[in-house]
Amino acid sequence: KAGVTQTPRYLIKTRGQQVTLSCSPISGHRSVSWYQQTPGQGLQFLFEYFSETQRNKGNFPGRFSGRQFSNSRSEMNVSTLELGDSALYLCASSRDAPVGDTQYFGPGTRLTVL
Amino acid sequence: GQSLEQPSEVTAVEGAIVQINCTYQTSGFYGLSWYQQHDGGAPTFLSYNGLDGLEETGRFSSFLSRSDSYGYLLLQELQMKDSASYFCAVDSSYKLIFGSGTRLLVRP
């Protein structure tokens, strides 16, 4: 069974631009979560989607948004990029709900904002 | 607020046993998970405790005490490949809240 895939793997953008990251969950998994990982803040929860509905959201500004499609694939968008948005963005999928279920992480997208 | 505390760094010798502690303060607690992350890699699931007590999976064991808001990960027969960062994470209302991670260095 294929794992979680994320595209692109690396991205360089400049301040003020916007970016869209993509995540394809493991087949049969309907829950997709997004996390931001930085050396200073660690792994921080962005949002979680299940059956195209956002069920929970972390403490990030409105510039961070996401969506999920009917095939469970998910995208996250960051608008008006800031230098502090440079991070590894990880998505994770699970079968039903992230609570009590194993989350399987993708390799991440390394975003650098110049 | 919600917070998890775990040691930032632990060093141990190959073949030894190491325990990584995690204390948490959070609402809506469902369980405690542990993840391993090698440098440059993605976090991978190690263990989950939904109930109090010990869970054993091979060389790794994890413990939870809900009354003490405390858990730990125990790694036995340490191997060099166990050098990595270890994160505890609280299941809370459709999201995982991660601790800041413990960097484990295994020395020969």
Side-chain angles (χ1 to χ4, degrees):
Chain A
K1 194 183 257 191
V4 178
T5 57
Q6 292 186 246
T7 56
R9 292 293 312 280
Y10 301 92
L11 207 48
I12 299 175
K13 292 285 189 178
T14 55
R15 277 181 300 174
Q17 287 188 308
Q18 79 164 23
V19 66
T20 299
L21 312 181
S22 181
C23 171
S24 292
I26 291 172
S27 177
H29 286 192
R30 296 166 66 190
S31 171
V32 174
S33 300
W34 287 89
Y35 297 85
Q36 181 196 65
Q37 186 172 29
T38 59
Q41 299 295 320
L43 270 157
Q44 291 192 287
F45 173 79
L46 281 155
F47 25 66
E48 186 263 354
Y49 288 89
F50 180 81
S51 291
E52 302 178 68
T53 300
Q54 185 183 89
R55 291 195 295 194
N56 210 335
K57 191 177 189 305
N59 296 324
F60 279 81
R63 300 185 297 107
F64 291 82
S65 63
R67 59 178 177 168
Q68 186 181 34
F69 302 95
S70 58
N71 61 359
S72 295
R73 191 177 69 84
S74 178
E75 287 182 348
M76 68 162 281
N77 185 77
V78 188
S79 62
T80 321
L81 283 166
E82 300 177 0
L83 294 179
D85 297 333
S86 293
L88 180 66
Y89 290 89
L90 294 157
C91 86
S93 74
S94 62
R95 196 173 301 278
D96 187 358
V99 174
D101 265 345
T102 299
Q103 289 209 19
Y104 296 86
F105 283 81
T109 295
R110 173 78 60 187
L111 172 65
T112 302
V113 181
L114 302 175
Chain B
Q2 297 171 320
S3 66
L4 289 89
E5 299 226 357
Q6 52 181 128
S8 58
E9 226 173 79
V10 172
T11 302
V13 177
E14 196 174 12
I17 299 172
V18 72
Q19 179 174 313
I20 299 173
N21 298 321
C22 174
T23 58
Y24 59 88
Q25 190 172 19
T26 183
S27 57
F29 177 87
Y30 291 94
L32 190 70
S33 299
W34 290 90
Y35 285 81
Q36 177 193 60
Q37 186 178 30
H38 287 97
D39 284 348
T44 57
F45 173 81
L46 289 177
S47 187
Y48 176 79
N49 293 77
L51 302 172
D52 283 1
L54 193 68
E55 291 285 338
E56 296 177 89
T57 311
R59 295 188 296 115
F60 296 169
S61 303
S62 60
F63 172 82
L64 174 66
S65 168
R66 286 172 173 259
S67 59
D68 295 323
S69 298
Y70 163 76
Y72 67 72
L73 178 70
L74 192 74
L75 296 86
Q76 303 180 73
E77 300 171 18
L78 281 173
Q79 302 175 8
M80 299 298 291
K81 67 178 181 180
D82 297 329
S83 291
S85 292
Y86 293 83
F87 296 87
C88 59
V90 164
D91 275 346
S92 174
S93 301
Y94 301 120
K95 65 182 179 184
L96 280 180
I97 303 166
F98 281 86
S100 52
T102 298
R103 193 167 185 86
L104 171 64
L105 176 62
V106 180
R107 295 186 288 108

